[in-house]
Amino acid sequence: MKYKSQKVAYWFFALCMLLFSLQIVYGFIMGFDRIGIQGLHDIIPFNVARAVHTNLLVVWLLTGFMGAAYYIIPEEAQRELISVKWAYIQLISLAVVGVVAIVGFHLNHWEGRKFLEIPRELDFLVVVNVLLFLGLILGTLFKGKRQTTTALVLSMGLLFAALLYLPGMIWFDSQVMDSFFRWWVVHLWVEGVWELIMGGILSYLLIKLTGVDREVIEKWLYVIVGLTFLSGVLGTGHHYYYIGVNKIWLIVGGIFSALEPLAFLAMALFAVNMYRKGEKSHPNKIALFWTIGSSIVSFIGAGLLGFAHTLPQTNLYTHGTLVTAMHGHYAFWGAYAMIVLAIISYALPNVTGRKRYQSATGMAAFWLSNIGMLGMTVAFGVAGVAQVYLERKMKMEFMTVQNEISIHFVVLLICATMFATGICLFVYDFIKYGRPTDEALRA
């Protein structure tokens, strides 16, 4: 750790671990509900568990991105954060908004819009919180001694993520208009600007872990940014096929959605090539595993599995089925969860001063969580294909089909247990590192 203010990142990562663990708990509640074990159903109905599960995903990933920015930007800008005190205030206010939102969901105080269920009054607090965060990050960056491409791409992703939250706050009476702009937030986040954030973090980690020249790595970043904008923006069209908008979106969405895997392919090639070129043998192999793993799994989950059901002819049958859950779980895991776990794995030894590079627990966390998530993806996929055939081709009733495919959720729960064990080990390792110390500062 070069700058004392980088310690702020540790507390964002700690909140991140807490929210991630809570998200997994709600995932299990939904899984048991699916196989008929519904002991908590009266207290936490399935729809509430689902809303909490998906919104926690968004919040813990954003918290992880913020932690990554607080760690990376001071080092890239070569100066301390402009205000550590305000960074802690931002963290506390973020946690408070999250707690209020989750409690509200359990009291049926929400908007009912998938991924954007948070009540409108809390939206304004989110905006204030994010403006404070951006002020601290951009202020640090532009007052710094240098503005690197890595830092600029990361900051650009965070800035656009904030701006794209605004269309989701516009109130429409029309369901079609509401859905149209809701996807500006959801799609352009996860298949647009979040890719820039991932690219920025990936670039930083590869510079540190492989020893390849910054100039070489940052040239690749330009390619990724170009491909992300080329495919991601108009690729939003695959959400518009059947919501009541003009049919032109069948063509636009079909073509540009087919191009979306290119950005993830570029990132996978980018990471593997830099790893091969690297002459530096960094001792933090766990961080390297998460970094390279993220680029490869994101290509499979977000790129290939996304492509598999975004063409109009396929999406006509798979839209809104468990095939979407298959793609969503593996895509979010590879592209965003793994990159957050990668930056945490890299930063922890540096902010705490404890070089636990050879931790068997850390390696076990990597393999168990990845094998578990792969198993969950396969279980969702098999259940989804069966659902498509029975419900969309054979025209069976929705609930009848859900009963027919419930056996796949037993397999899903077994794999989810393996995944959760891996994450518990990661959290255990996080706790074992202890708190950040000033002794970790290096000259």
Side-chain angles (χ1 to χ4, degrees):
M1 181 171 66
K2 291 177 70 175
Y3 298 94
K4 196 173 177 179
S5 57
Q6 285 178 289
K7 288 193 299 183
V8 172
Y10 173 88
W11 298 105
F12 277 83
F13 293 149
L15 177 62
C16 189
M17 292 293 93
L18 179 65
L19 297 176
F20 187 16
S21 303
L22 202 54
Q23 189 212 357
I24 293 173
V25 170
Y26 278 83
F28 272 106
I29 292 172
M30 294 164 66
F32 282 116
D33 207 324
R34 284 277 193 168
I35 61 171
I37 301 175
Q38 300 174 317
L40 293 174
H41 188 77
D42 290 339
I43 308 168
I44 309 173
F46 186 86
N47 62 330
V48 172
R50 189 182 188 283
V52 176
H53 182 70
T54 52
N55 280 269
L56 277 175
L57 168 70
V58 174
V59 177
W60 86 255
L61 287 176
L62 284 174
T63 308
F65 292 158
M66 288 174 176
Y70 280 126
Y71 185 81
I72 293 172
I73 296 298
E75 206 166 297
E76 291 290 292
Q78 296 184 339
R79 62 156 291 154
E80 297 282 2
L81 274 177
I82 55 173
S83 173
V84 172
K85 183 180 78 174
W86 280 104
Y88 283 122
I89 290 172
Q90 190 246 323
L91 171 67
I92 293 166
S93 61
L94 179 70
V96 169
V97 170
V99 170
V100 172
I102 290 172
V103 171
F105 291 169
H106 288 81
L107 300 173
N108 278 327
H109 184 53
W110 54 2
E111 292 204 342
R113 298 187 304 158
K114 195 166 62 174
F115 298 113
L116 298 178
E117 281 95 346
I118 185 169
R120 198 60 55 99
E121 57 271 22
L122 287 181
D123 277 341
F124 294 101
L125 294 178
V126 171
V127 170
V128 172
N129 187 278
V130 173
L131 284 176
L132 175 56
F133 165 72
L134 286 173
L136 293 169
I137 291 301
L138 297 178
T140 304
L141 180 61
F142 290 106
K143 283 186 175 179
K145 294 177 183 171
R146 63 176 188 178
Q147 289 85 40
T148 64
T149 303
T150 297
L152 288 171
V153 169
L154 175 60
S155 303
M156 187 168 68
L158 294 164
L159 176 63
F160 287 167
L163 291 175
L164 283 169
Y165 190 72
L166 302 179
M169 295 173 64
I170 304 171
W171 181 262
F172 295 101
D173 291 329
S174 161
Q175 176 70 41
V176 174
M177 291 294 287
D178 187 75
S179 288
F180 189 91
F181 285 102
R182 187 173 65 85
W183 286 117
W184 277 32
V185 185
V186 180
H187 175 98
L188 292 179
W189 263 14
V190 301
E191 292 169 70
V193 295
W194 281 24
E195 287 180 39
L196 300 184
I197 297 171
M198 179 194 174
I201 299 173
L202 187 62
S203 168
Y204 172 82
L205 286 169
L206 289 173
I207 290 169
K208 298 295 178 183
L209 293 170
T210 66
V212 174
D213 284 347
R214 174 182 291 275
E215 189 181 346
V216 176
I217 288 179
E218 291 185 339
K219 278 179 183 171
W220 273 89
L221 258 185
Y222 289 114
V223 176
I224 291 168
V225 170
L227 289 172
T228 299
F229 281 113
L230 171 70
S231 60
V233 176
L234 289 175
T236 315
H238 66 246
H239 298 289
Y240 296 159
Y241 293 156
Y242 312 111
I243 66 168
V245 300
N246 194 292
K247 287 183 180 177
I248 187 67
W249 286 106
L250 289 172
I251 300 169
V252 174
I255 293 172
F256 286 92
S257 295
L259 297 175
E260 282 191 55
L262 293 179
F264 288 102
L265 175 63
M267 274 194 260
L269 293 174
F270 168 51
V272 173
N273 276 341
M274 293 308 111
Y275 172 65
R276 285 183 173 172
K277 279 186 179 182
E279 295 175 354
K280 182 177 172 182
S281 182
H282 199 286
N284 194 342
K285 300 297 179 198
I286 295 174
L288 189 63
F289 269 53
W290 284 111
T291 303
I292 303 297
S294 170
S295 65
I296 295 171
V297 175
S298 65
F299 171 59
I300 299 169
L304 294 182
L305 295 183
F307 176 77
H309 82 123
T310 54
L311 294 178
Q313 297 86 345
T314 310
N315 196 260
L316 178 66
Y317 295 99
T318 60
H319 190 89
T321 67
L322 290 167
V323 173
T324 307
M326 168 197 72
H327 159 54
H329 276 76
Y330 214 48
F332 271 103
W333 171 245
Y336 305 124
M338 287 182 74
I339 200 69
V340 169
L341 300 184
I343 187 68
I344 292 175
S345 299
Y346 175 76
L348 271 183
N350 299 333
V351 296
T352 62
R354 301 175 187 91
K355 311 295 183 188
R356 302 179 67 249
Y357 295 137
Q358 306 299 325
S359 163
T361 315
M363 274 299 175
F366 176 84
W367 288 111
L368 282 173
S369 57
N370 270 286
I371 295 170
M373 179 53 77
L374 180 60
M376 288 167 64
T377 304
V378 172
F380 270 126
V382 173
V385 170
Q387 182 189 7
V388 167
Y389 180 75
L390 296 174
E391 189 183 313
R392 306 282 163 96
K393 293 292 286 184
M394 302 300 290
K395 310 296 181 189
M396 289 172 66
E397 290 291 332
F398 175 80
M399 287 311 296
T400 307
V401 173
Q402 294 303 310
N403 286 333
E404 292 292 331
I405 63 175
S406 62
I407 184 62
H408 298 297
F409 284 91
V410 176
V411 179
L412 183 90
L413 281 167
I414 294 169
C415 297
T417 303
M418 185 184 290
F419 173 77
T421 305
I423 299 305
C424 285
L425 291 176
F426 191 95
V427 174
Y428 173 76
D429 224 30
F430 185 93
I431 295 167
K432 286 284 284 181
Y433 264 101
R435 293 183 180 185
T437 61
D438 288 343
E439 288 72 36
L441 280 169
R442 53 189 167 87

